[in-house]
Amino acid sequence: MDGRTQVYEEEEEIRVLESDEEVEVMRIEEEYEDDDDEDFKEVDELIPPKVTSWSGADGKIVHGIVVFDDDLFDPKISCQMDVCPICFHAWTCHGKHRICCLPCGHMYGLSCINKWLLQSSPCGKCPQCNTLCSHKDVILLHVSRLSAQNKASSARYFPFKKRGYREFKFYEQIRRRDARKLIPNITQRLLHVFQEMQVLEDQYTKSMTQWNNVKKQLEELEQRVEEFGKPVDKLGQADALKRQADALKRQADELEQHGDALEPRARALERRLDALHERVTQCEPRLKFFAQMYEEHQLKIKKKTELCTATPTCHEN
């Protein structure tokens, strides 16, 4: 191989390096463009249920617990007001799965609740609160259009009653189910980010190794010039090596930048995954908390009743 051929090959290698660099950057940007919002979505802190009191529809004080929804779950599977609690698919304004409700106020898709009640004959019950009803009690709701519910955090109240416990249990079990459905997807995405980071790290190491080799060749060439005391680079090998070194350094810098950019994504997905696991593991403790607070509330009522019975002048405030 003569010197001129070597220079041509080195220049072609520079063009390939610059082309590969652009392709790699475009591939990474396109691959994650659609997932940016989802992967970096902030996860609300899981707030423990709290004992509270509120004014009921009849004006009387109701005691129970309050929980706060978060923006963690995928609207396609989460139990929100825009999906049927039986099939977890969106209900419609018209047709077989049109929105309807039972006398207790709980809403369902028409086909789902009819099937549920007919299978429960002769005595059907509401799936959420166990109120006795039949398919004849189903009330069609006439709405012009259905809009997605605002997913901002909102409070939900569950009274210290058997019905309240059933509704709270249903609510928590659905959230646990939703979290379990999301965990494999988030885990896979996190694993993919880790793999991409490893690929970028390997490519960065390779580029830096090539860069060091080219720098070493350039230094040897410059040393030869100094030793002979006259130009020995008639074919422009030094310029070709410099351009090659510059291309390798740019590629290494780009790979390092994209590797650094993936780290916040990985941390966000890790936080999201931890939050999902927390929703799964905290379901039973939250149910136990409700049961414990409910029992303490019943004991307070019992003691108050006994005190009123023992004290003739005792009266309700």
Side-chain angles (χ1 to χ4, degrees):
M1 179 186 297
D2 59 24
R4 190 178 300 278
T5 302
Q6 183 178 356
V7 171
Y8 288 155
E9 289 182 351
E10 289 172 347
E11 290 180 343
E12 179 62 24
E13 185 175 357
I14 294 170
R15 287 193 291 271
V16 171
L17 282 170
E18 292 174 341
S19 175
D20 289 346
E21 176 185 348
E22 293 177 357
V23 170
E24 179 65 23
V25 171
M26 290 175 61
R27 183 187 69 80
I28 295 172
E29 290 178 347
E30 290 175 358
E31 183 173 356
Y32 289 104
E33 183 177 358
D34 295 335
D35 293 332
D36 276 347
D37 292 341
E38 183 66 22
D39 288 353
F40 286 103
K41 184 190 295 183
E42 289 297 323
V43 179
D44 293 339
E45 179 184 358
L46 182 61
I47 302 175
K50 297 179 180 179
V51 177
T52 187
S53 301
W54 64 93
S55 179
D58 55 1
K60 294 183 179 180
I61 298 299
V62 181
H63 302 280
I65 66 168
V66 58
V67 297
F68 296 91
D69 287 336
D70 52 46
D71 197 27
L72 178 66
F73 301 111
D74 186 338
K76 294 180 181 178
I77 63 172
S78 68
C79 182
Q80 299 291 337
M81 291 298 293
D82 54 356
V83 295
C84 172
I86 296 177
C87 68
F88 302 105
H89 288 88
W91 42 44
T92 60
C93 299
H94 307 282
K96 295 181 179 180
H97 201 244
R98 65 181 298 179
I99 186 172
C100 62
C101 72
L102 297 178
C104 58
H106 289 118
M107 295 185 291
Y108 304 94
L110 181 60
S111 57
C112 288
I113 194 59
N114 276 339
K115 183 178 180 180
W116 176 282
L117 294 174
L118 288 173
Q119 288 177 344
S120 305
S121 61
C123 184
K125 294 181 179 180
C126 171
Q128 297 188 62
C129 66
N130 288 336
T131 299
L132 295 176
C133 53
S134 69
H135 69 280
K136 296 180 180 180
D137 297 318
V138 175
I139 304 169
L140 296 179
L141 299 178
H142 301 279
V143 294
S144 58
R145 65 187 180 91
L146 296 171
S147 59
Q149 184 185 14
N150 181 11
K151 288 182 66 62
S153 297
S154 58
R156 294 198 181 195
Y157 297 87
F158 301 91
F160 283 140
K161 296 180 181 179
K162 291 182 179 180
R163 174 181 60 83
Y165 178 75
R166 286 195 299 268
E167 291 180 352
F168 180 66
K169 184 176 181 180
F170 180 80
Y171 169 81
E172 286 293 326
Q173 288 176 340
I174 291 300
R175 284 167 55 82
R176 179 173 61 184
R177 187 216 62 175
D178 287 355
R180 284 174 172 168
K181 281 190 174 184
L182 283 172
I183 285 174
N185 175 264
I186 301 300
T187 302
Q188 185 63 32
R189 280 156 62 182
L190 179 60
L191 178 61
H192 182 67
V193 171
F194 283 149
Q195 291 172 341
E196 191 65 43
M197 291 172 67
Q198 184 60 53
V199 169
L200 290 172
E201 183 178 351
D202 292 342
Q203 292 176 342
Y204 172 78
T205 301
K206 180 180 177 180
S207 294
M208 289 302 296
T209 300
Q210 292 176 338
W211 180 74
N212 286 324
N213 290 336
V214 172
K215 290 284 288 183
K216 185 177 180 181
Q217 293 177 37
L218 183 59
E219 290 172 358
E220 291 176 351
L221 182 60
E222 291 174 346
Q223 185 176 0
R224 286 168 54 195
V225 172
E226 292 178 359
E227 289 178 355
F228 286 96
K230 60 181 180 179
V232 296
D233 187 23
K234 296 180 180 179
L235 298 177
Q237 287 180 307
D239 290 339
L241 288 172
K242 287 179 181 178
R243 291 197 300 272
Q244 187 178 6
D246 291 341
L248 287 167
K249 191 62 171 67
R250 286 197 304 271
Q251 185 183 56
D253 291 342
E254 288 286 344
L255 291 169
E256 185 177 29
Q257 289 174 8
H258 284 282
D260 292 341
L262 286 178
E263 289 184 3
R265 186 187 301 275
R267 289 195 296 269
L269 286 169
E270 286 178 328
R271 291 194 300 270
R272 194 167 179 79
L273 193 59
D274 289 342
L276 286 168
H277 282 295
E278 186 179 22
R279 267 66 177 179
V280 173
T281 58
Q282 288 300 309
C283 178
E284 292 302 326
R286 287 161 72 94
L287 290 176
K288 289 180 179 178
F289 173 80
F290 187 103
Q292 181 182 351
M293 295 300 101
Y294 182 18
E295 183 179 353
E296 291 182 6
H297 176 71
Q298 293 299 104
L299 287 175
K300 289 180 181 178
I301 294 177
K302 183 178 179 181
K303 290 181 179 179
K304 186 175 181 179
T305 302
E306 291 175 350
L307 180 61
C308 290
T309 303
T311 308
T313 58
C314 180
H315 62 279
E316 289 284 344
N317 291 327

